Amino acid sequence: METTVIEADEFRKASGLWATGVSIVTSMDHEGKPFGLTMNAVTSLSLDPPMFLVCVDKSSDTLKAIQETGVFCVNVLAQGQERLSERFAKKGDDKFSGIQYRSGTTGAPVLTGALLIIECTVDTTFPGG
C-alpha cells in the first residue's frame, strides 16, 4: 500500500471536518490572570480513574498557564455560543474582557452559560508536535 503525505494546511482542513463537541479550555497563571482557548481536541480518556485528554498547541499561552498552575477547566459550549467560540479561537487580546465567568473550585475560570464544566488537575503531560 502506498503512503501519501499531506501538507499541514490540508491536514488541518481535514481535521476541521471531524464532527466533535466544541469547548473552551480555561486556566489561569499564578497571578490569577485568566487564559483560554477554543478546542475540539478534548476527549474522555479513562472512567476509572476519571480522566480527560486535552491536546494543546505547545506555543499556546493557555498551555503555559496550565503547566504553571496544574489546573484547567473544560467548558463545553451550548448551542448559541458561537461568538464565544470564535472569540477564544483567536490568539492574543484579552479574551475575558466583558465575559462573565467565575473562579471554579480549582481556581480555573468557569464560563457563565457553559452547557457543562469539567474542572481538572493535570496528571501527566506528553510533548507533541
Side-chain angles (χ1 to χ4, degrees):
M1 182 160 90
E2 185 177 324
T3 303
T4 303
V5 178
I6 65 173
E7 298 297 321
D9 286 342
E10 291 177 73
F11 182 75
R12 181 185 314 256
K13 287 177 189 172
S15 296
L17 297 174
W18 191 276
T20 183
V22 177
S23 61
I24 295 175
V25 172
T26 57
S27 190
M28 77 294 180
D29 64 15
H30 279 307
E31 296 174 359
K33 179 180 178 185
F35 289 86
L37 74 161
T38 298
M39 293 191 66
N40 64 359
V42 177
T43 188
S44 59
L45 181 64
S46 170
L47 290 175
D48 188 19
M51 298 176 84
F52 271 82
L53 171 70
V54 295
C55 303
V56 183
D57 185 303
K58 61 186 174 185
S59 68
S60 168
D61 290 341
T62 303
L63 176 61
K64 292 174 184 125
I66 292 170
Q67 291 171 325
E68 189 176 304
T69 60
V71 300
F72 62 96
C73 181
V74 179
N75 297 269
V76 179
L77 299 183
Q79 187 174 4
Q81 291 186 302
E82 292 86 5
R83 286 193 178 155
L84 193 59
S85 171
E86 292 167 3
R87 180 181 191 148
F88 278 82
K90 298 174 183 167
K91 288 193 178 274
D93 299 326
D94 182 6
K95 299 175 187 176
F96 286 84
S97 178
I99 300 294
Q100 292 185 353
Y101 68 95
R102 64 177 172 79
S103 184
T105 305
T106 63
V110 174
L111 301 177
T112 301
L115 181 65
L116 172 71
I117 60 148
I118 305 161
E119 293 189 71
C120 303
T121 58
V122 175
D123 181 77
T124 308
T125 61
F126 297 98

